[in-house]
Amino acid sequence: MSQPATPEWSYVQALKNPRLALFLGGVAFSGIGDGMLIAAIPLLAMKIHGDLPVAIAVSLAAAAPFVSSTLVALPFSLGTRRFPVRGGLVSDCLLRGAALAAAGLAAVSENLTIFALIGALFVGSCLRSVGTPATRLAALGMAPSHGRFAVNGLLATVRQFTLYVVGPAIGGLIAGFASPEWALVVDGATFLPLLLATLLVVPRSPSTRREAKENESGLKVMRRLPVAWRLLIVVFFFNLLYMPVEVALPLLVNGPLGGDGKALGVVWTLFGAGALLGALATNFLRSVPQVPLMMGIIASWGATTVGLALSQNVASAAVAFFVGGVVYAPFTPVAYSYLHTFLSEKDEQPVLTLWSTVSTLAAPIGLLAAGPLVHALGGRGAVFLSAFLILALALGMTRMRPMAPPEDPPPAAPAVQLGKHQQNRET
């Protein structure tokens, strides 16, 4: 890979930009809310599952947000229209915040059924696959090309810390001392800081209707980039094969391991602590060849999943998940940074949206399949199967040959919709 003339930014250099720092603060609060759901949704689904088998209820509740967001994102990823970054973020914050708060309040008043919960998660997450790439595009739009790795790493660090450390801990505490219903109410409120940060630092988007005919769809762009397709397939199956762990873990902790809601929060918190360490270490992996690095991450995650399946108590499961967090965390920023080396500015939004849509599609497929799988094999059996298939995926990556980026690196990576008046970047 050719090296840019300007040295890559460190995390500290990136955070010196007040706009980026404020925006990342908003992302952090929404990440806390998402992390709370990791502990609260399975516990609430187990509480109100009714006549549904517990494993099926947990998998349906976990899959609902991904199904609706994938359906909404398809027109933007397969077509030539571009969504406004600011508008996508604002709409996602409003819809998800309102839906989660409403579902939580209904559950507190004992008027929420399992199907109503699934419906609320389905509707509230419709714009999730728009908001996710919009978050990355907005952050990248505040940095020059040599700041991409740092911005991707910071996004991963913030998300890992809030999603897996702070969020599950708070969600587990609320579920243990109050109820999982209240965790949904608090989660709805965590989208307010991101909404305010977006309104303050992300500029309005110019109209793109006249440009639609000149744009290429994400599918057409990726047809020109075989490496992007191959990497997306790896990411898809990595996400897919992880999902049985997410369904099996609450049943494993609350069953054979003898834990409860607080214990589940502790396990996820230790995973997040490991993920935070791994995300912070990502900044020191810039010189490591990225394809072998991703292969090593996948193999290491498979090995730690075996450790989770062999756990005999909550403590050993938490240790296995802590190590898993350390090795897993660098994967997403490394994958995105590798992808960005092949993209021009105008191709970033459609490709990132398609990438996010397809990789996210693995979640509902995996979660829906994981329900019957966990029901049939039990928690340990499902985790063992997941580990075996992930190790096979890592072995299959040996056939993936690294490719050199274009001779002329893509221009700076401002989000397409951030407007020409933002070309002077402090960061």
Tab-separated table of all heavy atoms in Angstrom, residues 85-106:
chain	number	residue	atom	x	y	z
A	85	VAL	N	-27.038	13.567	5.061
A	85	VAL	CA	-26.433	13.025	6.281
A	85	VAL	C	-27.102	13.598	7.526
A	85	VAL	O	-27.491	12.867	8.439
A	85	VAL	CB	-24.917	13.311	6.287
A	85	VAL	CG1	-24.321	13.007	7.649
A	85	VAL	CG2	-24.230	12.484	5.213
A	86	ARG	N	-27.241	14.913	7.554
A	86	ARG	CA	-27.846	15.564	8.726
A	86	ARG	C	-29.292	15.113	8.920
A	86	ARG	O	-29.719	14.771	10.022
A	86	ARG	CB	-27.777	17.075	8.548
A	86	ARG	CG	-28.194	17.899	9.769
A	86	ARG	CD	-27.933	19.365	9.459
A	86	ARG	NE	-28.043	20.221	10.615
A	86	ARG	CZ	-29.112	20.966	10.912
A	86	ARG	NH1	-30.175	20.901	10.130
A	86	ARG	NH2	-29.130	21.732	11.975
A	87	GLY	N	-30.054	15.105	7.839
A	87	GLY	CA	-31.452	14.691	7.924
A	87	GLY	C	-31.606	13.242	8.336
A	87	GLY	O	-32.511	12.892	9.102
A	88	GLY	N	-30.719	12.368	7.837
A	88	GLY	CA	-30.782	10.965	8.222
A	88	GLY	C	-30.525	10.757	9.703
A	88	GLY	O	-31.221	9.983	10.366
A	89	LEU	N	-29.538	11.485	10.234
A	89	LEU	CA	-29.226	11.364	11.663
A	89	LEU	C	-30.359	11.901	12.528
A	89	LEU	O	-30.752	11.277	13.524
A	89	LEU	CB	-27.932	12.108	11.978
A	89	LEU	CG	-26.633	11.362	11.679
A	89	LEU	CD1	-25.442	12.312	11.759
A	89	LEU	CD2	-26.450	10.210	12.651
A	90	VAL	N	-30.885	13.073	12.179
A	90	VAL	CA	-31.958	13.676	12.966
A	90	VAL	C	-33.187	12.775	12.978
A	90	VAL	O	-33.793	12.513	14.034
A	90	VAL	CB	-32.301	15.075	12.415
A	90	VAL	CG1	-33.598	15.599	13.041
A	90	VAL	CG2	-31.164	16.048	12.678
A	91	SER	N	-33.569	12.260	11.815
A	91	SER	CA	-34.760	11.409	11.726
A	91	SER	C	-34.579	10.120	12.514
A	91	SER	O	-35.500	9.660	13.201
A	91	SER	CB	-35.054	11.089	10.255
A	91	SER	OG	-35.282	12.272	9.518
A	92	ASP	N	-33.393	9.528	12.437
A	92	ASP	CA	-33.131	8.295	13.165
A	92	ASP	C	-33.207	8.517	14.679
A	92	ASP	O	-33.802	7.717	15.411
A	92	ASP	CB	-31.746	7.758	12.773
A	92	ASP	CG	-31.431	6.425	13.432
A	92	ASP	OD1	-32.322	5.562	13.485
A	92	ASP	OD2	-30.285	6.243	13.879
A	93	CYS	N	-32.608	9.615	15.146
A	93	CYS	CA	-32.652	9.916	16.588
A	93	CYS	C	-34.084	10.104	17.077
A	93	CYS	O	-34.471	9.565	18.129
A	93	CYS	CB	-31.829	11.162	16.888
A	93	CYS	SG	-30.050	10.946	16.728
A	94	LEU	N	-34.873	10.855	16.332
A	94	LEU	CA	-36.252	11.128	16.745
A	94	LEU	C	-37.085	9.852	16.772
A	94	LEU	O	-37.824	9.588	17.739
A	94	LEU	CB	-36.881	12.158	15.811
A	94	LEU	CG	-36.352	13.596	15.916
A	94	LEU	CD1	-36.944	14.460	14.814
A	94	LEU	CD2	-36.680	14.188	17.279
A	95	LEU	N	-36.973	9.049	15.720
A	95	LEU	CA	-37.814	7.855	15.620
A	95	LEU	C	-37.430	6.805	16.657
A	95	LEU	O	-38.292	6.263	17.359
A	95	LEU	CB	-37.701	7.269	14.205
A	95	LEU	CG	-38.596	6.061	13.901
A	95	LEU	CD1	-40.068	6.420	14.109
A	95	LEU	CD2	-38.358	5.563	12.482
A	96	ARG	N	-36.139	6.522	16.765
A	96	ARG	CA	-35.713	5.497	17.722
A	96	ARG	C	-35.968	5.932	19.162
A	96	ARG	O	-36.426	5.141	19.998
A	96	ARG	CB	-34.241	5.175	17.518
A	96	ARG	CG	-33.957	4.440	16.226
A	96	ARG	CD	-32.478	4.221	16.017
A	96	ARG	NE	-31.945	3.229	16.937
A	96	ARG	CZ	-30.663	2.950	17.050
A	96	ARG	NH1	-29.774	3.617	16.338
A	96	ARG	NH2	-30.251	2.033	17.890
A	97	GLY	N	-35.677	7.186	19.470
A	97	GLY	CA	-35.901	7.676	20.826
A	97	GLY	C	-37.355	7.586	21.233
A	97	GLY	O	-37.685	7.118	22.333
A	98	ALA	N	-38.262	8.031	20.345
A	98	ALA	CA	-39.690	8.017	20.659
A	98	ALA	C	-40.225	6.595	20.796
A	98	ALA	O	-40.994	6.290	21.715
A	98	ALA	CB	-40.461	8.778	19.582
A	99	ALA	N	-39.823	5.713	19.884
A	99	ALA	CA	-40.335	4.339	19.913
A	99	ALA	C	-39.884	3.589	21.156
A	99	ALA	O	-40.678	2.882	21.800
A	99	ALA	CB	-39.885	3.598	18.649
A	100	LEU	N	-38.628	3.735	21.524
A	100	LEU	CA	-38.120	3.031	22.702
A	100	LEU	C	-38.739	3.551	23.989
A	100	LEU	O	-39.108	2.774	24.880
A	100	LEU	CB	-36.592	3.151	22.757
A	100	LEU	CG	-35.833	2.341	21.708
A	100	LEU	CD1	-34.368	2.747	21.676
A	100	LEU	CD2	-35.959	0.846	21.978
A	101	ALA	N	-38.862	4.877	24.092
A	101	ALA	CA	-39.476	5.448	25.290
A	101	ALA	C	-40.937	5.014	25.410
A	101	ALA	O	-41.402	4.666	26.508
A	101	ALA	CB	-39.368	6.969	25.258
A	102	ALA	N	-41.661	5.014	24.289
A	102	ALA	CA	-43.069	4.614	24.307
A	102	ALA	C	-43.211	3.142	24.698
A	102	ALA	O	-44.088	2.776	25.497
A	102	ALA	CB	-43.702	4.870	22.940
A	103	ALA	N	-42.348	2.273	24.137
A	103	ALA	CA	-42.413	0.849	24.487
A	103	ALA	C	-42.091	0.636	25.961
A	103	ALA	O	-42.734	-0.174	26.642
A	103	ALA	CB	-41.453	0.054	23.608
A	104	GLY	N	-41.103	1.357	26.463
A	104	GLY	CA	-40.749	1.224	27.870
A	104	GLY	C	-41.869	1.644	28.798
A	104	GLY	O	-42.166	0.965	29.790
A	105	LEU	N	-42.503	2.770	28.489
A	105	LEU	CA	-43.612	3.244	29.323
A	105	LEU	C	-44.792	2.276	29.274
A	105	LEU	O	-45.472	2.054	30.289
A	105	LEU	CB	-44.040	4.638	28.871
A	105	LEU	CG	-43.023	5.752	29.155
A	105	LEU	CD1	-43.471	7.062	28.507
A	105	LEU	CD2	-42.820	5.937	30.658
A	106	ALA	N	-45.060	1.697	28.092
A	106	ALA	CA	-46.133	0.709	27.984
A	106	ALA	C	-45.804	-0.531	28.810
A	106	ALA	O	-46.694	-1.111	29.445
A	106	ALA	CB	-46.343	0.331	26.517
